[in-house]
Amino acid sequence: MRNHTDIPELSSFNTFFRAWKVAVLMMIFMISASFQIKAQNKSYPFKPGEKLTYNMKFGWFNIGEAVVWLDPEFQYPKAKNQPHYKVQFTVATASWFKVFSKLSVCMESLIEADKLQPLRSDRDMEGKGKIDIRHDYFSYADSISVKAYIEDIDEWRYHKFPSGNTPVRDALSTYMWLRSRDKSQFTKTVEIRTFFSNDLYEFRMLPGKNTTHKYDNRKVRALEFGLDFPEGEYFDSGKTGKVIMSDDPNRYPLRLEIDMTVGSFVFDLEKVEYMD
């Protein structure tokens, strides 16, 4: 991971804004507490009412916090007989840091409880006069279709993907699917395809290795996983990120590091709460 001794001067806020969206996407995948509950006859590592707060850094600098929250009640959308999770993810950055000033994120998804398939995904990202608001609607048959309404430009866009062996999910359902996996399944490389910001992102989560990590003023046993992204605009070749998860029945994601072309983002678990 790169170390930064000063705040970088970015030549284009547009470039940073696009990279920031990808960093948020990676963050979402890895955060969740892991107590077991029953939903639709399946045991999932989600607990309705969980609220996880993460401290965010860019290089050495604290830049704000990220929160993921799972609604305490299942939702029942019209024309659907199945319960759905309602998941919300928010980011608030510190106003003193000029690059991140007024940069905020709010994402919300309805996710079918049995198959963890997204039904609808809403997002609002704003920063320095740039607004990115969209609503994605997912449908399933022999392929996966996404009907997206881009609110800030009043435009509809349509996408279609083959189902294949690796399904296409939105950001928050990808996060829930990763957290639903049994610990033993993390000994294998996980292929991921996620629809986000009108693009399909494909990357891999590599098998874990044993390590330790300082959390809550003590050292805990942990597992460390590499994140493998294709080289391109946002990622250099070689090591691009890692996630550290507690090696216990809770399997808390403790830390996420993402090394991007614009710099390094770090997310550290700060606290866990349970909301009624």
Side-chain angles (χ1 to χ4, degrees):
M1 185 181 72
R2 297 173 182 158
N3 290 329
H4 297 263
T5 56
D6 55 8
I7 299 175
E9 290 294 330
L10 301 179
S11 60
S12 170
F13 182 77
N14 290 344
T15 300
F16 177 81
F17 192 72
R18 294 196 305 271
W20 170 245
K21 289 192 290 186
V22 178
V24 168
L25 171 66
M26 298 303 112
M27 165 62 179
I28 293 170
F29 295 160
M30 308 307 162
I31 54 179
S32 171
S34 302
F35 293 102
Q36 299 293 317
I37 66 166
K38 293 288 183 178
Q40 288 297 99
N41 298 319
K42 289 189 176 182
S43 182
Y44 286 143
F46 316 115
K47 184 175 182 179
E50 286 177 343
K51 181 181 178 183
L52 302 183
T53 301
Y54 284 78
N55 178 53
M56 301 186 301
K57 290 183 179 180
F58 182 69
W60 294 107
F61 300 94
N62 291 317
I63 62 171
E65 69 175 25
V67 176
V68 61
W69 179 72
L70 189 60
D71 195 289
E73 302 292 335
F74 284 112
Q75 308 296 307
Y76 292 84
K78 292 182 179 179
K80 297 289 182 180
N81 296 322
Q82 302 295 325
H84 285 62
Y85 292 105
K86 181 180 178 181
V87 188
Q88 187 178 88
F89 175 78
T90 59
V91 169
T93 55
S95 60
W96 62 267
F97 194 1
K98 64 178 180 179
V99 174
F100 293 88
S101 179
K102 298 181 181 179
L103 186 60
S104 63
V105 179
C106 181
M107 300 175 63
E108 188 172 283
S109 289
L110 283 179
I111 301 167
E112 196 268 326
D114 185 42
K115 297 180 180 179
L116 297 181
Q117 291 179 331
L119 176 65
R120 173 173 171 160
S121 177
D122 301 294
R123 192 191 70 219
D124 184 334
M125 301 182 74
E126 301 183 25
K128 282 196 172 181
K130 288 189 64 65
I131 301 175
D132 185 358
I133 303 174
R134 65 181 298 132
H135 313 280
D136 295 334
Y137 304 86
F138 292 76
S139 59
Y140 307 88
D142 58 343
S143 61
I144 300 172
S145 299
V146 184
K147 182 175 67 173
Y149 176 59
I150 318 300
E151 183 174 320
D152 46 296
I153 60 175
D154 190 22
E155 179 178 307
W156 286 93
R157 295 178 183 175
Y158 301 88
H159 308 267
K160 192 171 184 179
F161 308 98
S163 298
N165 295 325
T166 305
V168 175
R169 296 181 171 87
D170 76 329
L172 288 171
S173 61
T174 297
Y175 135 72
M176 294 186 74
W177 177 77
L178 284 171
R179 298 309 308 139
S180 74
R181 293 170 61 84
D182 181 82
K183 180 181 174 181
S184 64
Q185 294 175 296
F186 285 107
T187 60
K188 302 177 182 179
T189 297
V190 179
E191 303 285 344
I192 299 169
R193 300 165 70 210
T194 297
F195 183 79
F196 183 77
S197 285
N198 221 49
D199 287 308
L200 187 64
Y201 291 86
E202 301 183 73
F203 67 99
R204 301 188 303 161
M205 186 173 178
L206 306 178
K209 62 181 181 181
N210 293 323
T211 186
T212 59
H213 184 76
K214 188 174 181 180
Y215 172 70
D216 197 25
N217 294 319
R218 57 192 176 91
K219 276 193 174 183
V220 298
R221 292 185 305 170
L223 296 171
E224 180 181 318
F225 301 90
L227 302 174
D228 182 23
F229 307 103
E231 182 180 359
E233 178 183 1
Y234 303 115
F235 299 102
D236 295 327
S237 61
K239 183 179 178 182
T240 53
K242 68 179 179 181
V243 58
I244 298 177
M245 180 188 304
S246 63
D247 186 11
D248 59 22
N250 295 324
R251 292 182 295 159
Y252 287 108
L254 302 171
R255 182 180 177 92
L256 172 66
E257 300 178 9
I258 310 169
D259 191 14
M260 304 182 70
T261 53
V262 298
S264 295
F265 292 91
V266 178
F267 301 83
D268 282 309
L269 180 62
E270 186 174 281
K271 63 181 177 180
V272 180
E273 301 171 274
Y274 302 96
M275 316 298 290
D276 295 327

